[in-house]
């Protein structure tokens, strides 16, 4: 980029003396955090979060969670559309006119037993909010409450997306298919992070999270007596060789600088010490950042499983992500939104609390939104001084530090509220540019 030299001092002046972001003369960014921390709002959020935590529901079964959301929106006088994607709720705050800017929270829990002993432990055996979606829903409701109280200042319409089935069910695909996000200019989403200190955020521009897919293969041989192997075709040994051969895809076929993962996480076969079984089922996940690498992995996983099974005189069938478990694309943060995010987060939390991170091989169905609209996804810290070694997400010991709730509510609310001004400013700049060119 070739810019005249005088641009740089100007740029510096604007950077150093950036005008405080304000809508209607109201300095919302810092104000929203103060509001969200007020006792009445904080306690209200804690109550909602605990109610949802006690009654975790799996993907597309979030009927009670959905009811809690709608009851709270009703009390706040916020209109919404329901159902969207089975149990989802989409609320609207503001002028009712374009531009539309969306914030999303996921609603579903995980099929696992909570091991944390506390007053509001999951009341449903074998189900737990171990990924913080109870806090995500609550923080979006918190933002809704704050935004509703300032709706006269909104220069457009906020779209609140309460999305079901993030944990592999592809809820985002159904929300997009419903058409409710047509004309939405940008979408924001967050995930709680147990490792990041409370009051910090972390993200990056460009590729943030990997694309992911699942595979499952049945390797069929011929069962028989374990002491007379020559009369059988052993699928356990064949499947073992398949697992080893799959390791070559990343270590020998992929560019070492293009991160990829192939993990066999499921291996099922046999039930007795002296019987060779008829078949073995293996399954796992594969991850890559680019579409090309992803499709290449998919093709080679199938070839290797079938080829290696054949070497061992077995047959194999391979299935990939289905309707229940669709492929997720990589989550790619819009570069312009990254700059905007850093400004807003810096205003609310202080610039030193806005961190930049490396990409992760984890995946998020928020990526589905980012394929159709500019989107931004970030992590919000909740690590407290008192808990030095918090359990990670998807652990049965996972815990939410409820002090995170005001931060999430304020971040959500500020990101959308200020974005209307951002859109206006960029349109003005665009008009001026056209004017100059005429
Ligand atoms: C809503 O806004 C009004 C005026 O700005 C303020 O007095 C009131 O405390 C606010 N309520 C909440 C819940 O923030
Ligand atoms: C594999 O499939 C072929 C063709 O259907 C069949 O003839 C053979 O018996 C199968 N082998 C095993 C081990 O199932």
């Amino acid at each position: 980029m070739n810019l005249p030299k005088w641009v740089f001092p100007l740029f510096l002046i604007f950077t150093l003396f950036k005008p405080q972001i304000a809508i209607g003369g109201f300095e919302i960014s810092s104000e929203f955090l103060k509001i969200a921390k007020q006792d009445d709002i904080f306690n209200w959020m804690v109550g909602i979060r605990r109610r949802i935590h006690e009654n975790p529901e799996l993907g597309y079964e979030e009927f009670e969670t959905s009811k809690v959301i709608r009851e709270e929106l009703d009390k706040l006088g916020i209109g919404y559309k329901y159902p969207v994607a089975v149990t989802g709720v989409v609320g609207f705050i503001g002028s009712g006119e374009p531009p539309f800017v969306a914030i999303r929270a996921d609603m579903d829990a995980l099929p696992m037993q909570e091991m944390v002993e506390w007053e509001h432990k999951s009341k449903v055996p074998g189900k737990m909010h171990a990924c913080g979606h109870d806090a995500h829903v609550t923080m979006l409701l918190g933002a809704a409450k704050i935004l509703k109280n300032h709706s006269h200042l909104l220069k457009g319409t906020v779209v609140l997306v309460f999305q079901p089935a993030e944990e592999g069910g592809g809820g985002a695909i159904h929300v997009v298919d419903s058409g409710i996000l047509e004309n939405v200019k940008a979408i924001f989403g967050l995930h709680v992070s147990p490792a990041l200190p409370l009051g910090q955020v972390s993200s990056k521009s460009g590729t943030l999270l990997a694309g992911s897919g699942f595979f499952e293969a049945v390797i069929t041989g011929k069962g028989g007596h374990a002491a007379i192997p020559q009369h059988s075709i052993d699928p356990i040994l064949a499947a073992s060789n398949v697992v080893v051969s799959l390791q070559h895809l990343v270590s020998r076929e992929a560019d070492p600088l293009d991160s990829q993962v192939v993990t066999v996480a499921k291996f099922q076969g046999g039930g007795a010490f002296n019987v060779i079984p008829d078949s073995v089922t293996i399954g796992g996940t594969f991850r890559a950042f680019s579409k090309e690498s992803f499709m290449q992995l998919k093709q080679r996983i199938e070839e290797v499983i079938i080829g290696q099974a054949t070497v061992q005189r077995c047959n194999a069938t391979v299935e990939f992500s289905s309707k229940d478990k669709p492929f997720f694309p990589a989550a790619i943060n819009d570069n312009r939104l990254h700059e905007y995010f850093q400004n807003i987060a810096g205003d609310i939390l202080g610039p030193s609390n806005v961190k930049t991170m490396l990409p992760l091989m984890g995946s998020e169905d928020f990526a589905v939104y980012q394929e159709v609209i500019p989107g931004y996804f970030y992590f919000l810290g909740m690590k407290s001084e008192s808990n030095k070694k918090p359990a990670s997400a998807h652990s049965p010991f996972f815990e939410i530090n409820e002090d995170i709730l005001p931060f999430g509510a304020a971040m959500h609310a500020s990101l959308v509220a200020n974005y209307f001004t951002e859109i206006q400013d960029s349109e003005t700049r665009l008009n001026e540019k056209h004017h100059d060119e005429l």
Side-chain angles (χ1 to χ4, degrees):
M1 195 163 55
N2 282 316
L3 292 172
K5 278 204 175 68
W6 55 265
V7 169
F8 290 104
L10 261 188
F11 178 71
L12 205 66
I13 289 166
F14 280 125
T15 316
L16 290 176
F17 305 103
K18 181 167 56 72
Q20 181 73 16
I21 291 165
I23 50 171
F26 187 77
E27 289 171 3
I28 55 170
S29 293
S30 48
E31 203 60 32
F32 279 180
L33 184 55
K34 264 187 235 154
I35 294 172
K37 282 182 172 175
Q38 283 167 8
D39 280 349
D40 52 339
I41 298 194
F42 179 72
N43 293 335
W44 168 77
M45 284 196 286
V46 166
I48 292 172
R49 185 257 149 174
R50 290 178 178 179
R51 250 171 91 193
I52 297 175
H53 189 85
E54 283 179 358
N55 186 22
E57 299 172 297
L58 303 183
Y60 300 120
E61 296 171 3
E62 308 93 333
F63 293 103
E64 291 304 314
T65 309
S66 177
K67 209 165 127 198
V68 170
I69 293 166
R70 281 175 282 129
E71 278 170 9
E72 293 303 331
L73 292 179
D74 283 336
K75 279 189 231 161
L76 292 169
I78 294 171
Y80 54 81
K81 188 164 180 240
Y82 167 84
V84 174
V86 188
T87 53
V89 184
V90 176
F92 303 93
I93 310 172
S95 67
E97 302 286 324
F100 296 95
V101 178
I103 336 172
R104 170 273 210 172
D106 37 14
M107 300 157 65
D108 54 326
L110 287 160
M112 54 191 285
Q113 179 60 43
E114 175 162 10
M115 302 289 276
V116 188
E117 295 303 331
W118 69 303
E119 201 188 335
H120 300 280
K121 179 178 174 174
S122 167
K123 290 199 161 72
V124 187
K127 293 181 191 171
M128 176 189 181
H129 269 291
C131 199
H133 299 188
D134 48 345
H136 295 171
V137 166
T138 304
M139 294 188 287
L140 188 50
L141 283 171
K145 190 176 182 110
I146 297 168
L147 289 167
K148 178 66 186 175
N149 203 27
H150 297 90
S151 58
H152 57 290
L153 295 173
L154 299 174
K155 300 193 175 95
T157 306
V158 176
V159 182
L160 310 162
V161 181
F162 295 92
Q163 177 215 303
E166 189 279 329
E167 299 286 356
I173 298 172
H174 294 288
V175 173
V176 169
D177 287 349
S178 77
I180 200 139
L181 298 180
E182 272 166 31
N183 302 322
V184 168
K185 291 269 188 204
I187 184 162
F188 296 92
L190 65 75
H191 204 293
V192 297
S193 167
L196 198 66
L198 181 69
Q200 289 193 356
V201 287
S202 184
S203 190
K204 72 183 284 293
S205 67
T207 309
L208 178 72
L209 299 166
S212 87
F214 296 100
F215 63 92
E216 187 167 87
V218 181
I219 294 157
T220 312
K222 184 165 157 258
H225 199 297
I228 317 169
Q230 72 275 25
H231 289 170
S232 300
I233 299 173
D234 184 354
I236 290 201
L237 189 57
S240 303
N241 278 310
V242 166
V243 173
V244 173
S245 292
L246 286 172
Q247 305 312 305
H248 298 163
L249 298 184
V250 175
S251 76
R252 301 293 83 180
E253 296 184 17
D255 180 341
L257 295 179
D258 178 20
S259 307
Q260 301 178 23
V261 171
V262 176
T263 295
V264 176
K266 172 178 174 180
F267 193 114
Q268 284 174 344
F273 292 138
N274 54 0
V275 178
I276 291 172
D278 272 324
S279 72
V280 167
T281 301
I282 63 168
T285 183
F286 59 108
R287 309 283 167 110
F289 286 116
S290 75
K291 268 215 167 93
E292 297 72 48
S293 302
F294 187 81
M295 294 319 286
Q296 170 75 7
L297 270 187
K298 175 176 180 281
Q299 185 194 329
R300 290 293 292 144
I301 286 168
E302 181 159 13
E303 286 170 3
V304 165
I305 293 174
I306 291 173
Q308 188 56 256
T310 307
V311 169
Q312 320 276 313
R313 297 181 297 152
C314 286
N315 290 335
T317 54
V318 187
E319 273 184 28
F320 287 94
S321 305
S322 57
K323 232 179 151 194
D324 305 336
K325 272 191 185 311
F327 292 133
F328 289 163
I332 301 172
N333 277 337
D334 183 86
N335 295 341
R336 214 172 31 83
L337 287 182
H338 177 64
E339 255 175 63
Y340 168 74
F341 170 81
Q342 291 203 306
N343 281 335
I344 298 294
D347 283 347
I348 302 173
L349 310 169
S352 63
N353 287 319
V354 184
K355 306 290 183 193
T356 305
M357 61 189 277
L358 292 171
L360 295 175
M361 297 309 293
S363 69
E364 233 301 331
D365 82 349
F366 188 81
V368 171
Y369 300 117
Q370 293 175 308
E371 283 209 312
V372 290
I373 12 178
Y376 197 82
F377 195 76
Y378 60 99
F379 292 89
L380 180 66
M382 61 176 181
K383 188 174 167 186
S384 68
E385 290 293 319
S386 57
N387 189 358
K388 295 271 184 240
K389 281 201 172 162
S392 64
H394 294 213
S395 155
F397 296 100
F398 181 78
E399 282 180 275
I400 292 287
N401 172 5
E402 288 169 336
D403 287 339
I404 195 178
L405 300 174
F407 287 98
M411 281 296 301
H412 274 326
S414 305
L415 281 170
V416 284
N418 285 299
Y419 199 68
F420 297 120
T421 317
E422 177 84 3
I423 292 172
Q424 260 187 354
D425 289 352
S426 72
E427 275 166 8
T428 310
R429 279 197 299 273
L430 212 64
N431 285 341
E432 278 166 5
K433 198 168 156 236
H434 284 316
H435 200 72
D436 287 349
E437 281 165 1
L438 280 178

